[in-house]
Amino acid sequence: MSGSRIHVGGAGPYDVVVGTGVLGELPAMAGEGARAAAVVHAEGLPEIARPVCRALEKAGLTVHAFPVPDGEAAKEIGVLAGLWSGFAAAGMTRTDVVVGVGGGSTTDLAGFAAASWLRGVRAVLVPTTLLGMVDAAVGGKTGINIPEGKNLVGAFHPPAGVLCDLATLVTMPREDYISGLAEIIKAGFIADPRILELVEADPAGAASPDGPHTRELVERAVQVKADVVSADLKESGLREILNYGHTLAHAIEKAEDYRFRHGHAVAIGMVYAAELARLAGRLPAALVERHRAVLTSVGLPVSYGADWPGLRATMTIDKKARGTTLRFVVLDGLARPGRLEGPAEDLLAAAYREVSR
C-alpha cells in the first residue's frame, strides 16, 4: 500500500512516509550510489529486521546486520564503538548507507553511528514504535547517553528518509504504545489542537494502534515536527518548543537510571511546565487541568514522587540551559509556546509540589 508523504525541508530535505507496507520505498531512500547497507536493529526485532534486509538485498545491496540491545541500553558508548568496528570490518564507505530499525533508542544510535562514521554517511530510519515514528526518527537529532545525562553526546544528522510502517505498531506492548502518545499529545498542546480533540473524543481508540484515528494522529504529530525542524534544524530558537515537558522529564529519566519510559516522563514534565506557567501568571488553570485530563484519559501518569533537590540539580545540565540560567518551554495559551528564563527557585519548587505525590 502507498503511504502519505510528509516533507521535511531545510538544508538536508527528506520525506517521512507514513502508511502500511511501505518498505518498497526503502531502496530509493538508500541512494543510487550505495553498494552496502549496515542494518542496525534492536536485537528483539529480528522478524521486523528481516524484511528490511530482504528489501535491500533485492535492490542489489550487500547487507550487514548489526543487532544492538533493546531500549536505552543501546545508547552507550561501548555499543557505538562496536558499530564503528563492525562498519570497518564490513568495509563501509562514504557512499554506503546505515539503516536503523527499531524504537527511538535504536534510531538515535544508528543515526549517530552514521553521523560519525567517516564524518557522515547516509542514514535511513525505519522506526517501529509510536515514539520513534512521531519523535525520535524525525528531525535529525542523534545521540547517546553518558552517566551524567541523556543525549548529551550527539550530532544533528538529517536522515535521507524515514519509513513509518503502521503495521509494526500492533506488536508493541500496550504500555510502550501509550508512552508514545505523550509526544503526540505534546504536539497538540504546542501547535495542533485538533490532536487533543481527537484524543478527547475517543481516548480508548487513541490508546490502541487499531484505533480509528491512529494514522491521522501519527501524521499530524509528524507534520508538527516537520514544520518546526524545517525552519530550525539545530535548535537555535523555534525548535526548542519541541522540548515542552522535557526539562523535568530528562531529570526523571536520569533519576530512574533510564528505566522510566520516556513518554511517561514527558507526560509528568508537561504537567510540571503547565503548573510553572500557571504560577508565573501565564497560563489559566483550566488549561493546566486539560493537560491532566487528556493525559490520564489514555493512561499516562501526571505525578511523580522523587525528592526535588536531586531533580533540580540534574536540570542544571539540561541542554536548554544557558550557563547557570534554566530555560523552560511553557505555554501562554493553547498552541502558543513561549519561554520562561531563570524562574525563581521557590517558583520551581512550588510547581513541583503540584505534581509530586
Side-chain angles (χ1 to χ4, degrees):
M1 291 177 63
S2 62
S4 55
R5 194 175 294 271
I6 299 167
H7 187 68
V8 183
Y14 57 95
D15 288 339
V16 181
V17 178
V18 180
T20 54
V22 295
L23 282 183
E25 303 267 358
L26 184 55
M29 289 183 172
E32 291 184 4
R35 63 171 184 77
V39 177
V40 179
H41 69 89
E43 59 189 4
L45 296 175
E47 72 286 351
I48 293 176
R50 277 193 292 270
V52 171
C53 293
R54 283 197 298 268
L56 292 164
E57 287 168 344
K58 285 181 180 178
L61 279 77
T62 301
V63 175
H64 307 277
F66 295 92
V68 297
D70 293 322
E72 291 290 329
K75 294 174 61 172
E76 295 184 359
I77 187 66
V79 178
L80 176 64
L83 289 179
W84 289 331
S85 295
F87 294 173
M92 295 285 292
T93 71
R94 277 193 174 148
T95 57
D96 294 326
V97 62
V98 175
V99 181
V101 184
S105 297
T106 306
T107 57
D108 277 359
L109 170 71
F112 189 38
S116 50
W117 180 247
L118 301 179
R119 298 188 177 92
V121 299
R122 195 175 182 92
V124 176
L125 304 180
V126 186
T128 60
T129 66
L130 187 60
L131 183 62
M133 291 180 187
V134 302
D135 184 42
V138 181
K141 275 188 178 182
T142 71
I144 60 169
N145 305 328
I146 59 174
E148 289 75 15
K150 182 173 179 174
N151 295 328
L152 292 180
V153 179
F156 291 100
H157 188 65
V162 179
L163 292 176
C164 300
D165 192 334
L166 300 176
T168 64
L169 297 178
V170 299
T171 65
M172 287 187 65
R174 177 174 171 78
E175 280 301 305
D176 290 339
Y177 185 84
I178 289 172
S179 175
L181 286 175
E183 292 286 355
I184 292 179
I185 291 169
K186 177 201 76 178
F189 277 114
I190 65 172
D192 184 0
R194 177 60 181 158
I195 289 174
L196 304 180
E197 294 169 2
L198 289 170
V199 174
E200 289 165 334
D202 185 8
S208 168
D210 295 320
H213 302 300
T214 297
R215 180 164 175 164
E216 183 177 358
L217 288 170
V218 171
E219 289 171 343
R220 285 183 174 275
V222 170
Q223 188 66 64
V224 167
K225 188 157 191 181
D227 290 344
V228 172
V229 302
S230 294
D232 178 18
L233 171 65
K234 296 191 174 180
E235 208 167 67
S236 57
L238 176 65
R239 184 167 179 162
E240 281 191 343
I241 70 172
L242 297 173
N243 287 314
Y244 184 55
H246 283 58
T247 301
L248 180 62
H250 285 163
I252 290 172
E253 288 176 292
K254 184 175 184 296
E256 299 287 342
D257 242 353
Y258 304 112
R259 292 188 295 266
F260 203 90
R261 288 180 177 87
H262 177 69
H264 287 52
V266 169
I268 297 163
M270 284 192 287
V271 176
Y272 176 76
E275 289 287 4
L276 195 59
R278 179 185 66 84
L279 292 170
R282 295 174 60 167
L283 195 67
L287 196 48
V288 180
E289 288 311 307
R290 192 176 186 186
H291 280 68
R292 287 193 168 90
V294 173
L295 293 165
T296 56
S297 74
V298 296
L300 285 163
V302 294
S303 61
Y304 183 67
D307 290 339
W308 170 244
L311 295 171
R312 174 64 185 88
T314 300
M315 286 183 184
T316 302
I317 57 170
D318 181 77
K319 295 187 295 299
K320 294 179 296 303
R322 299 293 183 268
T324 59
T325 301
L326 276 184
R327 302 165 80 238
F328 285 85
V329 178
V330 295
L331 295 180
D332 290 311
L334 185 58
R336 291 177 54 206
R339 290 168 186 78
L340 178 61
E341 299 197 18
E345 291 297 326
D346 59 348
L347 190 69
L348 293 170
Y352 185 67
R353 285 195 293 272
E354 297 296 324
V355 299
S356 60
R357 299 189 190 100

